[in-house]
Amino acid sequence: MFDSQTGGHVGVADDPDVAGRPLATGVPGVYLFPGSFETIIGLLRQGIAAMAADEPVRRLHIPPVISRRVIEHAGYVKTFPHLLGTVHSYTGDSCGWQALAELVDEGGDWHAQQRISDLVLLPAACYPVYETLTDQALDGPRKFAVEGNCFRQEATSEIGRLRSFRMVELVTAATADYCLQWRAHWLERVSGWLRSLGLHVDVEVADDPFFGPGKKLFQAAQRMQELKLELRVPVADGVVQAVASANYHKDHFGETFRFSCDGEVGNTSCMAFGLERIALALINAHGPDSGSWPDGVLAALGGGHD
Ligand code: AMP
Ligand code: ZN
């Protein structure tokens, strides 16, 4: 792991005990993942898919970028500007670049003329789904299973807090009643699943890391309405992280993207899984070699290795 205090790498490569763990790079919160870690990620995908086998989901793989307009429109820019990664590129001519190019080797300000593009980095896997429902009148729940590589410009880099990480989400768009029941069902199901993986789970009412003067108000309103519930488990000695969250957005996305369900403004809920965090929690509990994990744990991951 990268030690944010010293800015150095802490004995990752040489210690056989941590051989299966993510490898630190020169930048905090960005890791390289060895094969044995990816085997665990594959098992998690399999376990989540097995849990969702009885849901008629549309499966979508989400790219690591999303339309900037969609993210602006969805309210993310105003509430989480500190986490959003923007995509910029050089749009000047080759003459203008000559002088700037010389600055690259000196670590100078070669990027002074970079302009923001029509893309931003994906902050959560469910965002692109809501736009696909634009102007639709749904005659029943619509369900999706998505996975994407997400980016968040996190300020700290303790264990389990990455800047680039993978998120699987189950998403539903339906009526308010349906979305609330669906979320309660999935919260129950996922806590049971995490326990069957041998993990100690706490379910807590939570809030998102809003930014700016409205922060306290947004967080209090979110907590009061219990819009976000987190499943928190130990990912290392003394470190507990949310490995999954069950969210209810009320009619926020239905209003934003003008979709309805059974005659009312569309409501949405999502069940989000952080793959790296669950993998770290499993390694913490059972060791990095998934081949030697207890049978019950492997059974809860869809019956074994793929
Ligand atoms: P959230 O949208 O913040 O509820 O995130 C959904 C899930 O993604 C969380 O429960 C975590 O498991 C995972 N996640 C969120 N932020 C990070 C991060 N910085 N590093 C690793 N996983 C994360
Ligand atoms: Zn979501």
Side-chain angles (χ1 to χ4, degrees):
M1 290 293 177
F2 190 91
D3 185 326
S4 54
Q5 242 124 64
T6 62
H9 302 265
V10 186
V12 172
D14 306 333
D15 185 346
D17 282 337
V18 293
R21 290 167 204 268
L23 239 69
T25 65
V27 281
V30 180
Y31 295 88
L32 310 181
F33 302 101
S36 57
F37 190 89
E38 289 307 295
T39 301
I40 300 171
I41 297 283
L43 289 169
L44 288 173
R45 286 194 183 106
Q46 193 174 286
I48 297 166
M51 264 196 295
D54 55 357
E55 295 247 338
V57 291
R58 181 168 198 204
R59 295 194 173 278
L60 293 172
H61 181 82
I62 311 293
V65 287
I66 179 172
S67 150
R68 167 162 62 91
R69 196 69 203 104
V70 165
I71 282 298
E72 289 166 352
H73 202 42
Y76 194 91
V77 178
K78 280 194 175 159
T79 39
F80 306 108
H82 57 311
L83 295 179
L84 185 66
T86 49
V87 175
H88 286 64
S89 69
Y90 179 67
T91 55
D93 58 20
S94 58
C95 283
W97 177 243
Q98 289 285 320
L100 291 169
E102 283 169 22
L103 301 174
V104 175
D105 291 338
E106 307 155 14
D109 207 5
W110 60 265
H111 37 73
Q113 289 177 30
Q114 299 288 107
R115 297 274 299 269
I116 198 158
S117 74
D118 55 351
L119 296 173
V120 293
L121 301 183
L122 181 74
C126 64
Y127 276 99
V129 168
Y130 310 118
E131 188 201 11
T132 68
L133 301 173
T134 300
D135 287 332
Q136 290 191 31
L138 310 179
D139 55 5
R142 204 57 83 71
K143 296 178 183 176
F144 300 83
V146 298
E147 179 177 340
N149 252 97
C150 298
F151 176 87
R152 293 182 188 174
Q153 182 68 331
E154 300 282 5
T156 58
S157 58
E158 69 273 21
I159 296 177
R161 189 166 304 280
L162 283 58
R163 286 193 288 167
S164 177
F165 57 95
R166 286 164 281 186
M167 196 188 290
V168 165
E169 293 204 57
L170 302 172
V171 185
T172 194
T175 59
D177 282 351
Y178 189 94
C179 285
L180 275 165
Q181 277 174 30
W182 181 91
R183 183 182 68 152
H185 164 78
W186 272 101
L187 181 69
E188 194 68 22
R189 203 161 183 189
V190 176
S191 357
W193 179 66
L194 292 170
R195 287 187 185 110
S196 70
L197 294 178
L199 304 173
H200 176 87
V201 187
D202 279 323
V203 177
E204 285 178 19
V205 174
D207 51 48
D208 284 309
F210 294 100
F211 192 77
K215 178 185 167 93
K216 288 250 153 56
L217 212 66
F218 283 134
Q219 285 177 328
Q222 199 182 22
R223 278 180 176 271
M224 205 170 68
Q225 300 174 78
E226 302 197 353
L227 300 181
K228 184 175 201 76
L229 298 162
E230 282 183 341
L231 295 104
R232 298 168 60 80
V233 312
V235 293
D237 272 358
V239 185
V240 173
Q241 295 275 22
V243 298
S245 71
N247 305 282
Y248 173 47
H249 319 112
K250 303 204 292 184
D251 59 5
H252 174 69
F253 293 112
E255 286 280 1
T256 305
F257 296 104
R258 301 181 306 275
F259 60 85
S260 64
C261 183
D262 296 343
E264 57 177 83
V265 178
N267 277 239
T268 57
S269 284
C270 68
M271 178 74 234
F273 302 82
L275 294 186
E276 285 86 355
R277 281 192 185 170
I278 309 178
L280 287 170
L282 287 168
I283 292 173
N284 180 55
H286 309 300
D289 174 16
S290 55
S292 65
W293 289 355
D295 287 345
V297 171
L298 291 173
L301 292 170
H305 296 92
D306 20 37

